[in-house]
mmCIF file of all heavy atoms in Angstrom:
data_model
loop_
_atom_site.group_PDB
_atom_site.id
_atom_site.type_symbol
_atom_site.label_atom_id
_atom_site.label_comp_id
_atom_site.label_asym_id
_atom_site.label_seq_id
_atom_site.Cartn_x
_atom_site.Cartn_y
_atom_site.Cartn_z
ATOM 1 N N LEU B 307 155.805 96.734 74.322
ATOM 2 C CA LEU B 307 155.148 97.754 75.059
ATOM 3 C C LEU B 307 154.288 98.661 74.177
ATOM 4 O O LEU B 307 153.164 99.009 74.589
ATOM 5 C CB LEU B 307 156.262 98.673 75.801
ATOM 6 C CG LEU B 307 156.972 98.021 76.897
ATOM 7 C CD1 LEU B 307 158.104 98.992 77.408
ATOM 8 C CD2 LEU B 307 156.029 97.738 78.098
ATOM 9 N N LEU B 311 150.259 99.530 74.624
ATOM 10 C CA LEU B 311 149.869 100.811 74.854
ATOM 11 C C LEU B 311 149.033 101.546 73.647
ATOM 12 O O LEU B 311 148.209 102.372 73.946
ATOM 13 C CB LEU B 311 150.993 101.733 75.257
ATOM 14 C CG LEU B 311 151.666 101.266 76.679
ATOM 15 C CD1 LEU B 311 152.915 102.051 76.956
ATOM 16 C CD2 LEU B 311 150.663 101.334 77.770
ATOM 17 N N ILE B 314 145.340 101.679 73.551
ATOM 18 C CA ILE B 314 144.699 102.400 74.666
ATOM 19 C C ILE B 314 144.802 103.894 74.475
ATOM 20 O O ILE B 314 143.769 104.680 74.638
ATOM 21 C CB ILE B 314 145.240 101.965 75.997
ATOM 22 C CG1 ILE B 314 145.214 100.442 76.116
ATOM 23 C CG2 ILE B 314 144.577 102.697 77.088
ATOM 24 C CD1 ILE B 314 146.002 99.901 77.434
ATOM 25 N N TYR B 315 146.047 104.336 74.248
ATOM 26 C CA TYR B 315 146.340 105.758 74.179
ATOM 27 C C TYR B 315 146.416 106.353 72.844
ATOM 28 O O TYR B 315 146.621 107.563 72.610
ATOM 29 C CB TYR B 315 147.477 106.115 75.060
ATOM 30 C CG TYR B 315 147.364 105.560 76.450
ATOM 31 C CD1 TYR B 315 148.105 104.581 76.980
ATOM 32 C CD2 TYR B 315 146.493 106.258 77.336
ATOM 33 C CE1 TYR B 315 147.937 104.103 78.221
ATOM 34 C CE2 TYR B 315 146.291 105.791 78.670
ATOM 35 C CZ TYR B 315 147.035 104.775 79.166
ATOM 36 O OH TYR B 315 146.862 104.306 80.317
ATOM 37 N N ILE B 319 150.691 109.571 70.317
ATOM 38 C CA ILE B 319 151.197 109.967 71.681
ATOM 39 C C ILE B 319 152.067 108.905 72.311
ATOM 40 O O ILE B 319 153.118 109.343 72.959
ATOM 41 C CB ILE B 319 149.906 110.222 72.692
ATOM 42 C CG1 ILE B 319 150.328 110.745 73.949
ATOM 43 C CG2 ILE B 319 149.031 109.015 72.801
ATOM 44 C CD1 ILE B 319 150.837 112.229 73.838
ATOM 45 N N VAL B 320 151.790 107.660 72.044
ATOM 46 C CA VAL B 320 152.674 106.592 72.598
ATOM 47 C C VAL B 320 154.048 106.800 71.999
ATOM 48 O O VAL B 320 155.137 106.737 72.690
ATOM 49 C CB VAL B 320 152.123 105.266 72.352
ATOM 50 C CG1 VAL B 320 153.205 104.247 72.676
ATOM 51 C CG2 VAL B 320 150.853 105.010 73.134
ATOM 52 N N ARG B 322 155.504 109.427 70.935
ATOM 53 C CA ARG B 322 156.025 110.687 71.410
ATOM 54 C C ARG B 322 156.697 110.376 72.802
ATOM 55 O O ARG B 322 157.721 110.729 73.156
ATOM 56 C CB ARG B 322 155.060 111.828 71.501
ATOM 57 C CG ARG B 322 155.653 113.155 71.382
ATOM 58 C CD ARG B 322 154.676 114.201 71.324
ATOM 59 N NE ARG B 322 153.559 113.996 70.360
ATOM 60 C CZ ARG B 322 152.377 114.372 70.553
ATOM 61 N NH1 ARG B 322 151.995 115.119 71.629
ATOM 62 N NH2 ARG B 322 151.459 114.126 69.620
ATOM 63 N N VAL B 323 155.852 109.641 73.637
ATOM 64 C CA VAL B 323 156.367 109.337 75.052
ATOM 65 C C VAL B 323 157.576 108.427 74.952
ATOM 66 O O VAL B 323 158.563 108.714 75.647
ATOM 67 C CB VAL B 323 155.173 108.608 75.778
ATOM 68 C CG1 VAL B 323 155.756 108.063 77.146
ATOM 69 C CG2 VAL B 323 154.050 109.646 76.023
ATOM 70 N N PHE B 324 157.498 107.533 74.058
ATOM 71 C CA PHE B 324 158.733 106.620 73.920
ATOM 72 C C PHE B 324 160.055 107.344 73.521
ATOM 73 O O PHE B 324 161.085 107.140 73.931
ATOM 74 C CB PHE B 324 158.397 105.481 72.940
ATOM 75 C CG PHE B 324 157.754 104.336 73.598
ATOM 76 C CD1 PHE B 324 156.548 104.394 74.258
ATOM 77 C CD2 PHE B 324 158.187 103.007 73.438
ATOM 78 C CE1 PHE B 324 155.922 103.393 74.792
ATOM 79 C CE2 PHE B 324 157.591 101.956 73.977
ATOM 80 C CZ PHE B 324 156.507 102.098 74.703
ATOM 81 N N MET B 326 160.605 110.530 74.009
ATOM 82 C CA MET B 326 160.916 111.265 75.185
ATOM 83 C C MET B 326 161.862 110.518 76.191
ATOM 84 O O MET B 326 162.893 110.905 76.658
ATOM 85 C CB MET B 326 159.814 111.942 75.938
ATOM 86 C CG MET B 326 159.247 113.108 75.246
ATOM 87 S SD MET B 326 157.561 113.492 75.918
ATOM 88 C CE MET B 326 158.020 113.732 77.591
ATOM 89 N N ALA B 327 161.305 109.278 76.408
ATOM 90 C CA ALA B 327 161.974 108.356 77.318
ATOM 91 C C ALA B 327 163.310 107.963 76.863
ATOM 92 O O ALA B 327 164.307 107.877 77.606
ATOM 93 C CB ALA B 327 161.100 107.178 77.698
ATOM 94 N N THR B 330 165.901 110.761 77.218
ATOM 95 C CA THR B 330 166.274 110.878 78.677
ATOM 96 C C THR B 330 167.570 110.079 78.858
ATOM 97 O O THR B 330 168.459 110.346 79.650
ATOM 98 C CB THR B 330 165.220 110.490 79.635
ATOM 99 O OG1 THR B 330 164.126 111.152 79.220
ATOM 100 C CG2 THR B 330 165.585 110.821 80.986
ATOM 101 N N PHE B 347 165.479 103.435 80.528
ATOM 102 C CA PHE B 347 164.429 103.709 79.609
ATOM 103 C C PHE B 347 163.020 103.314 80.204
ATOM 104 O O PHE B 347 162.073 103.987 80.203
ATOM 105 C CB PHE B 347 164.576 102.950 78.248
ATOM 106 C CG PHE B 347 163.505 102.925 77.301
ATOM 107 C CD1 PHE B 347 163.261 104.138 76.644
ATOM 108 C CD2 PHE B 347 162.582 101.899 77.220
ATOM 109 C CE1 PHE B 347 162.063 104.161 75.740
ATOM 110 C CE2 PHE B 347 161.477 101.959 76.297
ATOM 111 C CZ PHE B 347 161.290 103.069 75.602
ATOM 112 N N ALA B 348 162.981 102.076 80.847
ATOM 113 C CA ALA B 348 161.849 101.610 81.485
ATOM 114 C C ALA B 348 161.369 102.572 82.617
ATOM 115 O O ALA B 348 160.155 102.843 82.770
ATOM 116 C CB ALA B 348 162.005 100.104 81.976
ATOM 117 N N ALA B 349 162.295 103.045 83.469
ATOM 118 C CA ALA B 349 162.033 103.769 84.633
ATOM 119 C C ALA B 349 161.516 105.135 84.114
ATOM 120 O O ALA B 349 160.436 105.636 84.636
ATOM 121 C CB ALA B 349 163.238 104.058 85.453
ATOM 122 N N THR B 350 162.050 105.722 83.058
ATOM 123 C CA THR B 350 161.596 107.036 82.471
ATOM 124 C C THR B 350 160.139 106.864 81.894
ATOM 125 O O THR B 350 159.307 107.757 82.029
ATOM 126 C CB THR B 350 162.629 107.484 81.404
ATOM 127 O OG1 THR B 350 163.894 107.346 81.931
ATOM 128 C CG2 THR B 350 162.210 108.938 81.038
ATOM 129 N N LEU B 351 159.997 105.791 81.221
ATOM 130 C CA LEU B 351 158.760 105.555 80.595
ATOM 131 C C LEU B 351 157.543 105.489 81.617
ATOM 132 O O LEU B 351 156.454 105.951 81.538
ATOM 133 C CB LEU B 351 158.744 104.177 79.722
ATOM 134 C CG LEU B 351 157.625 103.937 78.763
ATOM 135 C CD1 LEU B 351 157.762 105.010 77.646
ATOM 136 C CD2 LEU B 351 157.817 102.581 78.230
ATOM 137 N N ASP B 352 157.940 104.823 82.712
ATOM 138 C CA ASP B 352 157.013 104.711 83.919
ATOM 139 C C ASP B 352 156.552 106.097 84.386
ATOM 140 O O ASP B 352 155.372 106.390 84.599
ATOM 141 C CB ASP B 352 157.769 103.839 84.927
ATOM 142 C CG ASP B 352 157.205 103.988 86.281
ATOM 143 O OD1 ASP B 352 156.118 104.452 86.469
ATOM 144 O OD2 ASP B 352 157.891 103.567 87.279
ATOM 145 N N LEU B 353 157.623 106.976 84.564
ATOM 146 C CA LEU B 353 157.364 108.313 85.114
ATOM 147 C C LEU B 353 156.538 109.148 84.101
ATOM 148 O O LEU B 353 155.531 109.800 84.371
ATOM 149 C CB LEU B 353 158.642 109.100 85.385
ATOM 150 C CG LEU B 353 159.488 108.544 86.564
ATOM 151 C CD1 LEU B 353 160.948 109.188 86.575
ATOM 152 C CD2 LEU B 353 158.789 108.750 87.801
ATOM 153 N N ALA B 354 156.974 108.988 82.720
ATOM 154 C CA ALA B 354 156.245 109.785 81.708
ATOM 155 C C ALA B 354 154.880 109.305 81.595
ATOM 156 O O ALA B 354 153.919 110.177 81.550
ATOM 157 C CB ALA B 354 156.996 109.470 80.440
ATOM 158 N N ALA B 355 154.575 108.003 81.802
ATOM 159 C CA ALA B 355 153.214 107.510 81.695
ATOM 160 C C ALA B 355 152.366 108.134 82.854
ATOM 161 O O ALA B 355 151.260 108.421 82.724
ATOM 162 C CB ALA B 355 153.197 105.999 81.696
ATOM 163 N N SER B 356 152.965 108.081 84.042
ATOM 164 C CA SER B 356 152.290 108.683 85.278
ATOM 165 C C SER B 356 151.836 110.141 85.028
ATOM 166 O O SER B 356 150.735 110.501 85.368
ATOM 167 C CB SER B 356 153.192 108.528 86.510
ATOM 168 O OG SER B 356 153.416 107.225 86.830
ATOM 169 N N GLU B 357 152.869 110.873 84.461
ATOM 170 C CA GLU B 357 152.556 112.290 84.259
ATOM 171 C C GLU B 357 151.574 112.637 83.228
ATOM 172 O O GLU B 357 150.673 113.436 83.369
ATOM 173 C CB GLU B 357 153.916 112.971 83.897
ATOM 174 C CG GLU B 357 154.782 113.320 85.057
ATOM 175 C CD GLU B 357 156.090 113.926 84.617
ATOM 176 O OE1 GLU B 357 156.165 114.581 83.583
ATOM 177 O OE2 GLU B 357 157.000 113.879 85.457
ATOM 178 N N ILE B 358 151.652 111.818 82.055
ATOM 179 C CA ILE B 358 150.741 112.110 80.931
ATOM 180 C C ILE B 358 149.376 111.458 81.163
ATOM 181 O O ILE B 358 148.347 112.039 80.880
ATOM 182 C CB ILE B 358 151.472 111.763 79.683
ATOM 183 C CG1 ILE B 358 152.723 112.554 79.502
ATOM 184 C CG2 ILE B 358 150.509 111.850 78.449
ATOM 185 C CD1 ILE B 358 153.560 112.065 78.372
ATOM 186 N N TRP B 359 149.456 110.200 81.470
ATOM 187 C CA TRP B 359 148.115 109.475 81.524
ATOM 188 C C TRP B 359 147.608 109.212 82.911
ATOM 189 O O TRP B 359 146.525 108.658 83.076
ATOM 190 C CB TRP B 359 148.339 108.050 80.804
ATOM 191 C CG TRP B 359 148.610 108.247 79.335
ATOM 192 C CD1 TRP B 359 148.071 108.971 78.401
ATOM 193 C CD2 TRP B 359 149.709 107.506 78.708
ATOM 194 N NE1 TRP B 359 148.699 108.897 77.197
ATOM 195 C CE2 TRP B 359 149.749 107.959 77.346
ATOM 196 C CE3 TRP B 359 150.649 106.627 79.049
ATOM 197 C CZ2 TRP B 359 150.700 107.561 76.366
ATOM 198 C CZ3 TRP B 359 151.547 106.216 78.048
ATOM 199 C CH2 TRP B 359 151.558 106.569 76.799
ATOM 200 N N GLY B 360 148.362 109.541 83.916
ATOM 201 C CA GLY B 360 147.915 109.317 85.294
ATOM 202 C C GLY B 360 148.579 108.279 85.969
ATOM 203 O O GLY B 360 149.291 107.424 85.376
ATOM 204 N N GLY B 361 148.329 108.178 87.270
ATOM 205 C CA GLY B 361 149.021 107.144 88.144
ATOM 206 C C GLY B 361 148.781 105.759 87.839
ATOM 207 O O GLY B 361 149.706 104.878 87.844
ATOM 208 N N ALA B 362 147.521 105.429 87.402
ATOM 209 C CA ALA B 362 147.146 104.004 87.152
ATOM 210 C C ALA B 362 147.952 103.593 85.871
ATOM 211 O O ALA B 362 148.455 102.435 85.885
ATOM 212 C CB ALA B 362 145.729 103.913 86.775
ATOM 213 N N ALA B 363 148.113 104.524 84.837
ATOM 214 C CA ALA B 363 148.877 104.079 83.640
ATOM 215 C C ALA B 363 150.325 103.829 84.020
ATOM 216 O O ALA B 363 150.923 102.941 83.581
ATOM 217 C CB ALA B 363 148.736 105.154 82.621
ATOM 218 N N GLY B 364 150.844 104.725 84.871
ATOM 219 C CA GLY B 364 152.219 104.642 85.418
ATOM 220 C C GLY B 364 152.487 103.278 86.044
ATOM 221 O O GLY B 364 153.507 102.602 85.765
ATOM 222 N N ARG B 365 151.521 102.927 86.923
ATOM 223 C CA ARG B 365 151.666 101.561 87.622
ATOM 224 C C ARG B 365 151.720 100.441 86.565
ATOM 225 O O ARG B 365 152.371 99.552 86.721
ATOM 226 C CB ARG B 365 150.662 101.380 88.662
ATOM 227 C CG ARG B 365 150.882 102.268 89.924
ATOM 228 C CD ARG B 365 149.985 101.911 91.133
ATOM 229 N NE ARG B 365 148.668 102.170 90.804
ATOM 230 C CZ ARG B 365 147.984 103.319 90.893
ATOM 231 N NH1 ARG B 365 148.706 104.428 91.343
ATOM 232 N NH2 ARG B 365 146.673 103.568 90.653
ATOM 233 N N ALA B 366 150.688 100.632 85.715
ATOM 234 C CA ALA B 366 150.621 99.521 84.620
ATOM 235 C C ALA B 366 151.896 99.334 83.845
ATOM 236 O O ALA B 366 152.342 98.338 83.605
ATOM 237 C CB ALA B 366 149.429 99.861 83.652
ATOM 238 N N VAL B 367 152.433 100.466 83.468
ATOM 239 C CA VAL B 367 153.706 100.472 82.694
ATOM 240 C C VAL B 367 154.910 99.914 83.593
ATOM 241 O O VAL B 367 155.623 99.046 83.060
ATOM 242 C CB VAL B 367 154.089 101.871 82.186
ATOM 243 C CG1 VAL B 367 155.508 101.831 81.617
ATOM 244 C CG2 VAL B 367 153.134 102.305 81.083
ATOM 245 N N ARG B 368 154.790 100.289 84.937
ATOM 246 C CA ARG B 368 155.882 99.704 85.717
ATOM 247 C C ARG B 368 155.764 98.104 85.925
ATOM 248 O O ARG B 368 156.806 97.448 85.825
ATOM 249 C CB ARG B 368 155.718 100.318 87.239
ATOM 250 C CG ARG B 368 156.944 100.161 87.989
ATOM 251 C CD ARG B 368 156.785 100.765 89.359
ATOM 252 N NE ARG B 368 156.228 102.124 89.293
ATOM 253 C CZ ARG B 368 155.209 102.627 90.086
ATOM 254 N NH1 ARG B 368 154.738 101.812 90.919
ATOM 255 N NH2 ARG B 368 154.934 103.872 89.842
ATOM 256 N N ARG B 369 154.484 97.643 85.975
ATOM 257 C CA ARG B 369 154.342 96.251 86.082
ATOM 258 C C ARG B 369 154.774 95.608 84.775
ATOM 259 O O ARG B 369 155.442 94.576 84.771
ATOM 260 C CB ARG B 369 152.860 95.873 86.406
ATOM 261 C CG ARG B 369 152.532 95.938 87.875
ATOM 262 C CD ARG B 369 151.280 95.112 88.223
ATOM 263 N NE ARG B 369 150.221 95.797 87.604
ATOM 264 C CZ ARG B 369 149.428 96.750 88.193
ATOM 265 N NH1 ARG B 369 149.750 97.257 89.299
ATOM 266 N NH2 ARG B 369 148.405 97.330 87.558
ATOM 267 N N LEU B 370 154.383 96.222 83.705
ATOM 268 C CA LEU B 370 154.745 95.566 82.370
ATOM 269 C C LEU B 370 156.304 95.471 82.152
ATOM 270 O O LEU B 370 156.773 94.486 81.801
ATOM 271 C CB LEU B 370 154.168 96.542 81.243
ATOM 272 C CG LEU B 370 152.865 96.264 80.692
ATOM 273 C CD1 LEU B 370 152.353 97.292 79.657
ATOM 274 C CD2 LEU B 370 152.880 94.878 79.937
ATOM 275 N N THR B 371 156.893 96.579 82.463
ATOM 276 C CA THR B 371 158.423 96.575 82.242
ATOM 277 C C THR B 371 159.112 95.615 83.202
ATOM 278 O O THR B 371 160.094 95.069 82.943
ATOM 279 C CB THR B 371 159.043 97.994 82.286
ATOM 280 O OG1 THR B 371 158.608 98.578 83.557
ATOM 281 C CG2 THR B 371 158.525 98.832 81.197
#
Side-chain angles (χ1 to χ4, degrees):
Chain B
L307 287 176
L311 297 173
I314 305 170
Y315 302 110
I319 184 75
V320 170
R322 205 175 313 146
V323 170
F324 272 54
M326 282 167 54
T330 310
F347 172 77
T350 311
L351 199 64
D352 159 18
L353 290 174
S356 291
E357 279 178 24
I358 297 169
W359 298 312
R365 284 192 296 278
V367 169
R368 194 180 315 136
R369 275 198 296 273
L370 267 173
T371 54

